[in-house]
Amino acid sequence: MNTEKKILLAEDNSILLLLLKHQLQKEGYKLLIAVNGMEAIDLIEEHNPDLILTDIMMPFISGLEVISHVRNKLNLKTPIIVFSSAGQEEMVLKAFDMGATDFMGKPLSPNELVIRIKKLLH
């Protein structure tokens, strides 16, 4: 039963967002959707999700700043999975330094994502 598990999904690519939203809702997760880092931070502060999925490259506030905010300002241990396009190794290493839990390269496999989420939440 995942019904009580809340996942924040921060992704500015609407096609990917819809794909992941569909897949995660099908799995029974409650989704909070943000299309940029600012929205992500607001939603995290308001709802304290069980898991955070964030793209690194987003408008206004990057996924890295979201990680930093969650770890340093809010002091939360919430698992964070970051997404990043190929060729952003530096960003990914930075994300891990800042406290990311896991990383997935784009294009994402929704099925693989679900497996990773289940591992972190159960």
Side-chain angles (χ1 to χ4, degrees):
M1 272 298 264
N2 302 326
T3 43
E4 72 289 357
K5 297 287 186 196
K6 280 186 300 207
I7 295 178
L8 172 92
L9 174 55
E11 170 59 68
D12 61 330
N13 176 324
S14 52
I15 295 164
L16 181 59
L17 187 66
L18 284 172
L19 184 76
L20 296 178
K21 183 180 165 187
H22 174 77
Q23 185 78 25
L24 295 171
Q25 285 175 334
K26 209 171 72 185
E27 292 290 330
Y29 296 109
K30 183 176 175 349
L31 279 194
L32 305 161
I33 305 282
V35 293
N36 62 56
M38 245 170 359
E39 280 183 22
I41 286 173
D42 288 346
L43 286 168
I44 291 164
E45 289 184 350
E46 197 180 324
H47 299 280
N48 191 12
D50 298 291
L51 182 101
I52 297 165
L53 304 171
T54 182
D55 189 9
I56 289 183
M57 304 301 282
M58 285 186 298
F60 308 120
I61 293 178
S62 74
L64 294 177
E65 289 170 274
V66 171
I67 298 168
S68 169
H69 190 86
V70 169
R71 294 292 184 250
N72 304 322
K73 291 218 176 63
L74 305 177
N75 230 345
L76 297 172
K77 300 271 179 264
T78 315
I80 301 174
I81 300 178
V82 274
F83 309 142
S84 171
S85 305
Q88 293 183 330
E89 284 79 15
E90 207 177 297
M91 291 281 213
V92 173
L93 293 174
K94 213 182 221 172
F96 277 121
D97 276 348
M98 295 169 92
T101 316
D102 200 355
F103 157 76
M104 285 185 76
K106 288 176 164 181
L108 293 176
S109 147
N111 293 329
E112 184 188 344
L113 180 63
V114 167
I115 291 166
R116 289 178 187 230
I117 289 171
K118 286 182 174 162
K119 241 173 69 181
L120 287 170
L121 287 180
H122 303 291

